[in-house]
Amino acid sequence: LLTLAKSIRQPSNKLIGLTEPHVYYGRAGLFDVDYLGHLNNAAYFSHAEYARWSMSAVNGWLQAGYQHGSSFVVTAASCRYRAEIRPIFRKFKIETMVTGMDDKH
């Protein structure tokens, strides 16, 4: 919620376009890591969800959805683990961008 609140408070002149990349910064929290201190697999998707909500606030989708009674839906998600995120509380970034949309849903 804190991530979403910070994104919503961003001034409107800082909005990004729908197809422009968005950068989310996070930290591996105490409950995000396994016993070895690595970010666990489920936490990758949680942080991806935070990044998606942050992007929707910054590019205007969140506000438009509230105004028009609509929302956006993720119909598929996959993850490619390229590097480990460790140790605990290490800062990392997620770059998010809209790669496609349709009118099916």
Side-chain angles (χ1 to χ4, degrees), residues 42-58:
Y44 279 89
F45 283 101
S46 293
H47 283 282
E49 182 73 6
Y50 301 148
R52 181 173 68 97
W53 278 99
S54 178
M55 181 188 67
S56 73
V58 174

Side-chain angles (χ1 to χ4, degrees), residues 18-36:
L18 290 179
T19 58
E20 293 179 45
H22 171 263
V23 177
Y24 162 85
Y25 292 95
R27 289 192 184 273
L30 182 61
F31 298 108
D32 291 335
V33 296
D34 59 18
Y35 71 96
L36 296 174

Side-chain angles (χ1 to χ4, degrees), residues 32-104:
D32 291 335
V33 296
D34 59 18
Y35 71 96
L36 296 174
H38 299 95
L39 191 69
N40 70 43
N41 294 349
Y44 279 89
F45 283 101
S46 293
H47 283 282
E49 182 73 6
Y50 301 148
R52 181 173 68 97
W53 278 99
S54 178
M55 181 188 67
S56 73
V58 174
N59 70 15
W61 275 9
L62 185 62
Q63 295 87 344
Y66 283 135
Q67 290 172 355
H68 300 291
S70 64
S71 63
F72 52 93
V73 177
V74 174
T75 57
S78 65
C79 187
R80 184 178 203 177
Y81 303 101
R82 295 181 180 192
E84 64 184 358
I85 297 176
R86 64 173 277 226
I88 191 169
F89 303 125
R90 174 162 285 171
K91 191 174 184 178
F92 60 89
K93 75 176 183 176
I94 299 174
E95 295 180 10
T96 308
M97 62 188 298
V98 176
T99 58
M101 62 180 112
D102 60 34
D103 57 358
K104 288 183 184 178

